[in-house]
Amino acid sequence: MAAPSGESRVVFTHSVSSLLHNWSCLQIAVDNGFGGQYSQQKAEWMAGVLAQYFLDNADLDTQEVEDYISELMYNEFDTVIEDGSLAEVAAQTCTFYNLCCRGQEAEVRDRIQQLAEKRQRVRVEVTKGESPGEEEEEEEEEGSEDGEGSDEAAEAMDCDGHCGPLSGGAALPAGPSQPKPEEEGEADGWTVVHRKRK
């Protein structure tokens, strides 16, 4: 299949940018500065690089695209995506590319518009406010001294099953999720005694 040219190329590049802009995991990484001071610029750069990846390589399959996006997310945002949304983003990007190659720019524009509308609906739902039950849960979390509320905070940052291209959730920075325990014995024979937690 011939690579898109002219208007098709412009529409494809715009579709990739829109798709990544509507991908919650990337936006959470940007909003939380996982890419450092220039996180927003990195996200914009990433859209251009991904579009160029398609234009420079013939017959990419979804797995290759998924691996490429995963590598970009890890290298630029120190983030590993494990919620399944990466495969969805890769598949949608391939679909947009194939439609542009066939000259079906109108369908691509329609799909971009649907993505934007769906994201807007999600934002409206999120900004409507909290239910009374949620306020009570927050008060309980603040009052707990034994750390029980931290489980819910951890769930909020868990990307598994919650963070699709158009849903809420969070991307987790790569790296060990648990700190390494201190060694019990030292090389010189001394033993470290830890204070018991209440």
Side-chain angles (χ1 to χ4, degrees), residues 161-176:
H162 301 290
C163 177
L166 303 171
S167 63
L172 293 175

Side-chain angles (χ1 to χ4, degrees), residues 1-197:
M1 186 179 296
S5 59
E7 185 185 357
S8 296
R9 181 182 288 231
V10 172
V11 171
F12 174 66
T13 302
H14 178 67
S15 72
V16 172
S17 180
S18 296
L19 183 60
L20 293 183
H21 178 73
N22 287 300
W23 184 24
S24 293
C25 287
L26 175 58
Q27 292 312 309
I28 288 167
V30 169
D31 292 344
N32 290 289
F34 291 177
Q37 180 179 357
Y38 299 105
S39 292
Q40 184 61 49
Q41 291 86 341
K42 285 183 177 184
E44 292 166 9
W45 169 84
M46 187 173 157
V49 167
L50 181 57
Q52 193 61 46
Y53 180 66
F54 274 86
L55 299 172
D56 291 344
N57 297 284
D59 301 321
L60 290 171
D61 65 26
T62 307
Q63 187 60 52
E64 289 174 308
V65 177
E66 185 177 343
D67 291 344
Y68 187 69
I69 297 171
S70 177
E71 185 178 326
L72 288 172
M73 288 297 292
Y74 183 79
N75 290 339
E76 301 303 325
F77 295 96
D78 197 27
T79 302
V80 175
I81 307 297
E82 297 179 337
D83 68 335
S85 67
L86 194 55
E88 188 177 342
V89 169
Q92 287 182 337
T93 309
C94 290
T95 299
F96 287 158
Y97 181 75
N98 291 330
L99 288 170
C100 287
C101 286
R102 292 194 295 264
Q104 296 175 291
E105 296 90 358
E107 185 172 345
V108 173
R109 287 190 188 100
D110 288 344
R111 290 186 183 206
I112 292 170
Q113 184 63 33
Q114 290 170 5
L115 283 175
E117 289 170 1
K118 192 171 182 180
R119 180 161 178 85
Q120 187 61 33
R121 280 195 306 270
V122 169
R123 282 183 178 169
V124 167
E125 290 172 10
V126 168
T127 57
K128 278 185 179 177
E130 299 175 332
S131 68
E134 289 175 343
E135 290 174 2
E136 290 172 10
E137 287 176 12
E138 284 183 9
E139 289 173 9
E140 288 176 12
E141 285 179 24
E142 290 172 5
S144 68
E145 294 178 7
D146 55 1
E148 288 178 6
S150 63
D151 291 341
E152 290 182 20
E155 286 177 15
M157 286 300 293
D158 186 5
C159 224
D160 293 340
H162 301 290
C163 177
L166 303 171
S167 63
L172 293 175
S177 59
Q178 298 291 329
K180 292 182 180 179
E182 294 180 24
E183 293 184 20
E184 294 298 323
E186 299 292 330
D188 59 5
W190 289 93
T191 302
V192 178
V193 178
H194 297 283
R195 195 172 162 181
K196 291 185 181 179
R197 294 184 182 176

